[in-house]
Amino acid sequence: MAILAVNAGSSTLKFSIHPLQAARVQPSVMSGSIQGLEPGGAPMLGWTFQGQQHSRQLPVTAADPFDRALHSLNELLANESAIPAIEAIAHRVVHGGQDFSASVLVTEDVLTRLARLNSLAPLHQPHNLQGIRAFQKVFPSLPQVACFDTAFHATLPEVDYSFALPQSLTGQGVRRYGFHGLSYQYIMGILQQHSTQAGGRVLMAHLGNGASLCATREGRSCATTMGFSALDGLMMGTRSGSLDAGVLLYLLEQRWDHARLQNLLYKQSGLLGVSGISADMRRLRADDSVDAQRAINLFTHRVVRESGALVACLGGLDVLAFSGGIGEHDTVLRAQVAERLAWLGVAIDPALNQQATGDAVMAIHSLDSSVQVWVVPTDEGRVAAQEAAQLL
């Protein structure tokens, strides 16, 4: 048997199939994505199976493109006899709010309660839920399990999750939740297999189009940079990260409405907004303009600044781990962050740093470093699949 893990976005569906052996989820035997699901898009199914890459253009129809894409995925799974039978579908859901601190079997009531959180993660939550409903329609006999990015941070102490606001608002759920929890759960599990220091003071950096830091002690989240929504903390691909609330008051005085503010903060800021070029760090690295360098410098500075805050909460640092698209592949960023954290005893080996290309777990610290430094390619799908297997 196997678990199908999925991550549904506005125009893309990522999937991976994880066999079960002795109730333990194994690495994926097939993974892929369906691109071009936006209105007017050109749907394309791409997948990797048995070391071979495949792609297939999907027909454009007047029907719901998401629905059509799932029928194509279902046909693909049915035609591959080497794939174990799918037992359940595990969905990544960004926000669980106050109600959900662990994975749950999806019901109509669960979907209704999760939809109330759409405004807290507008780039993700509505599409996650749309994906669940689409899978329910195409795979009606399979259990659907919601796995939450906020769940890993359920251990945050009150002093970290609280805002300096009246208790009446805190009681309504206005507090810090933290995100990227499936990624951090996976990274911590890998560190515990490879490092004797993983139970100590660990700082994990999930750096990609979405970016955050998480500080753990004894493997439990005790501080993180993202908060009530997926906007807080680090600068990201198109999101602003931490911002003086007075800026929003100023823009309101300038007659900006909710939709314009949301578009600014979620889609027009971050690397894209500062550079005016791209939200893709690879594109900016290849651009020698002042604007590109300004965006890179600010992104790096924010990582270092927030790292200092979380290390202060930990009272020191034993392990630093990089993950996410940027964290796994950008050797320059890792070197610059390590150099600016040298006062903590962080030192990386330049040769090892160059060898770490995101295709394997790798230690990159030098022999004289008092802090271990790791590059850990994340696998949120495998964590979601394991959560579903344990629940069922």
Side-chain angles (χ1 to χ4, degrees):
M1 308 298 284
I3 305 290
L4 172 60
V6 299
N7 182 2
S10 59
S11 62
T12 303
L13 171 73
K14 298 178 182 178
F15 64 89
S16 54
I17 298 171
H18 300 266
L20 289 171
Q21 293 181 6
R24 294 295 301 173
V25 167
Q26 304 302 309
S28 64
V29 294
M30 173 188 283
S31 62
S33 66
I34 305 175
Q35 311 279 344
L37 297 179
E38 69 277 5
M44 174 71 75
L45 170 62
W47 71 98
T48 301
F49 181 57
Q50 295 181 339
Q52 299 294 316
Q53 294 184 345
H54 310 269
S55 63
R56 178 191 303 165
Q57 193 77 43
L58 302 181
V60 179
T61 66
D64 180 0
F66 213 106
D67 182 73
R68 178 60 257 170
L70 293 193
H71 280 289
S72 297
L73 176 59
N74 194 14
E75 293 168 3
L76 173 65
L77 299 181
N79 291 332
E80 292 288 1
S81 59
I83 294 177
I86 304 299
E87 182 176 347
I89 301 175
H91 297 264
R92 179 197 179 200
V93 177
V94 166
H95 214 310
Q98 292 192 108
D99 293 345
F100 302 103
S101 58
S103 299
V104 295
L105 190 65
V106 173
T107 64
E108 192 59 36
D109 177 63
V110 167
L111 289 175
T112 299
R113 291 155 70 187
L114 290 175
R116 297 172 186 152
L117 304 171
N118 282 353
S119 63
L120 304 189
L123 294 186
H124 303 90
Q125 192 84 352
H127 309 300
N128 298 157
L129 303 187
Q130 178 190 7
I132 292 175
R133 290 195 179 278
F135 272 90
Q136 286 179 323
K137 182 178 178 182
V138 177
F139 300 85
S141 64
L142 294 180
Q144 313 282 329
V145 177
C147 308
F148 303 104
D149 259 342
T150 49
F152 184 75
H153 304 292
T155 56
L156 287 174
E158 182 179 8
V159 71
D160 192 79
Y161 72 65
S162 297
F163 294 130
L165 293 171
Q167 285 298 305
S168 58
L169 288 174
T170 304
Q172 296 176 35
V174 180
R175 49 156 288 181
R176 184 182 302 279
Y177 291 98
F179 299 91
H180 291 135
L182 295 176
S183 177
Y184 289 133
Q185 185 175 337
Y186 180 80
I187 297 166
M188 178 50 62
I190 292 297
L191 289 175
Q192 288 172 340
Q193 294 175 26
H194 288 79
S195 170
T196 58
Q197 300 296 313
R201 301 163 298 182
V202 178
L203 179 63
M204 297 180 285
H206 179 106
L207 307 178
N209 190 51
S212 69
L213 303 175
C214 176
T216 64
R217 189 182 290 109
E218 297 181 352
R220 297 181 178 182
S221 175
C222 58
T224 187
T225 54
M226 278 187 170
F228 177 65
S229 72
L231 275 175
D232 202 12
L234 300 180
M235 173 182 173
M236 302 174 226
T238 61
R239 282 171 270 175
S240 63
S242 296
L243 187 69
D244 183 345
V247 174
L248 303 184
L249 295 177
Y250 168 77
L251 294 177
L252 287 171
E253 291 170 359
Q254 304 302 308
R255 301 185 182 279
W256 284 50
D257 61 14
H258 178 276
R260 190 179 179 190
L261 285 173
Q262 186 177 82
N263 193 52
L264 169 72
L265 298 177
Y266 279 97
K267 297 182 178 181
Q268 296 181 336
S269 299
L271 289 172
L272 175 63
V274 175
S275 70
I277 299 169
S278 175
D280 191 323
M281 181 65 86
R282 295 167 297 184
R283 169 89 182 276
L284 297 179
R285 288 286 185 201
D287 191 314
D288 60 1
S289 69
V290 172
D291 291 333
Q293 193 59 54
R294 180 184 294 115
I296 293 171
N297 289 344
L298 185 55
F299 184 92
T300 307
H301 173 74
R302 293 298 304 175
V303 172
V304 172
R305 176 174 169 147
E306 296 293 335
S307 294
L310 266 62
V311 170
C313 293
L314 289 173
L317 187 62
D318 300 309
V319 179
L320 171 62
F322 291 96
S323 194
I326 297 174
E328 294 168 22
H329 300 101
D330 196 321
T331 58
V332 176
L333 178 109
R334 294 196 300 256
Q336 291 177 339
V337 170
E339 181 181 3
R340 294 176 62 180
L341 295 180
W343 58 277
L344 287 167
V346 176
I348 64 173
D349 183 308
L352 293 177
N353 188 36
Q354 288 294 327
Q355 293 170 28
T357 56
D359 56 355
V361 178
M362 187 169 178
I364 61 171
H365 48 272
S366 61
L367 293 176
D368 60 347
S369 180
S370 57
V371 175
Q372 293 185 1
V373 185
W374 292 83
V375 176
V376 182
T378 193
D379 191 344
E380 293 159 311
R382 188 171 179 180
V383 172
Q386 186 64 52
E387 287 286 303
Q390 291 175 345
L391 181 67
L392 298 173

